[in-house]
């Protein structure tokens, strides 16, 4: 597992890969990530308050369906973003003859660590959503 973690984050320590990543996709990716954050916080703090039943009877399932839809599409977005970054890095590193083929192929190759991080992120967001739902019911 430690080796998988090292491989997952190796691109952060390669200056050429980091510079290539910043030049290629940082500007467009930043706007997408900001939009994703805005959608997340709207769902997180507006849906439970909007869809709460009166007198503490619970939260309308519509709020949960909205969050589940967001979580599903956010998962697809995360995987697609990682694949996009991987392809861009591989393309940038392939143009530099100093890199051998194994280095290029190993950059951001999916392994157990990526899967663990993906699910831990989903669980953390779901936990925050449930906390907001609980606090909404208390108010």
């Amino acid at each position: 597992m430690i080796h998988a973690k090292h491989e997952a984050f190796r691109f952060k320590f390669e200056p050429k890969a980091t510079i290539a990543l910043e030049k290629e996709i940082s500007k467009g990716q930043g706007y997408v990530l900001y939009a994703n954050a805005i959608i997340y916080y709207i769902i997180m703090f507006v849906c439970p308050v909007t869809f709460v039943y009166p007198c503490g009877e619970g939260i309308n399932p519509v709020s949960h369906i909205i969050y589940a839809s967001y979580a599903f599409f956010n998962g697809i977005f995360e995987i697609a973003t990682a694949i996009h970054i991987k392809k861009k890095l591989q393309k940038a590193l392939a143009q530099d003859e100093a890199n051998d083929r194994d280095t290029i192929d190993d950059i951001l190759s999916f392994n157990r660590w990526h899967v663990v991080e993906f699910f831990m992120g989903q669980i953390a967001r779901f936990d925050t959503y449930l906390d907001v739902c609980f606090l909404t019911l208390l108010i």
Side-chain angles (χ1 to χ4, degrees), residues 13 17 26 29 49 56 72 79 82 94-95 114 126 128 134:
F13 303 109
S26 287
Q29 198 71 23
V49 175
F72 175 76
I79 293 169
Q95 293 174 353
H114 286 98
F126 183 61
T128 304
F134 175 72

Side-chain angles (χ1 to χ4, degrees), residues 20 48 79 83-84 102 107 112 128:
I79 293 169
I83 291 170
H84 178 69
D102 292 334
I107 295 294
R112 290 178 296 176
T128 304

Side-chain angles (χ1 to χ4, degrees), residues 36-53:
N36 186 33
I38 290 169
I39 292 168
Y40 171 75
Y41 286 114
I42 288 172
I43 290 172
M44 193 63 50
F45 296 111
V46 174
C47 284
V49 175
T50 304
F51 294 108
V52 69
Y53 289 129

Side-chain angles (χ1 to χ4, degrees), residues 10 86 89-91 93-107:
R10 185 170 66 171
K86 177 184 177 180
L89 283 174
Q90 285 178 336
K91 181 180 175 185
L93 290 173
Q95 293 174 353
D96 185 11
E97 290 82 22
N99 294 312
D100 59 349
R101 191 75 215 156
D102 292 334
T103 301
I104 294 169
D105 290 338
D106 287 343
I107 295 294

Side-chain angles (χ1 to χ4, degrees), residues 84-137:
H84 178 69
I85 290 171
K86 177 184 177 180
K87 287 180 181 179
K88 289 289 186 177
L89 283 174
Q90 285 178 336
K91 181 180 175 185
L93 290 173
Q95 293 174 353
D96 185 11
E97 290 82 22
N99 294 312
D100 59 349
R101 191 75 215 156
D102 292 334
T103 301
I104 294 169
D105 290 338
D106 287 343
I107 295 294
L108 272 179
S109 60
F110 285 103
N111 54 41
R112 290 178 296 176
W113 184 254
H114 286 98
V115 175
V116 168
E117 285 295 313
F118 172 75
F119 282 113
M120 293 304 288
Q122 289 289 351
I123 290 169
R125 285 189 291 273
F126 183 61
D127 182 51
T128 304
Y129 171 74
L130 291 179
D131 290 341
V132 171
C133 288
F134 175 72
L135 292 173
T136 301
L137 292 174

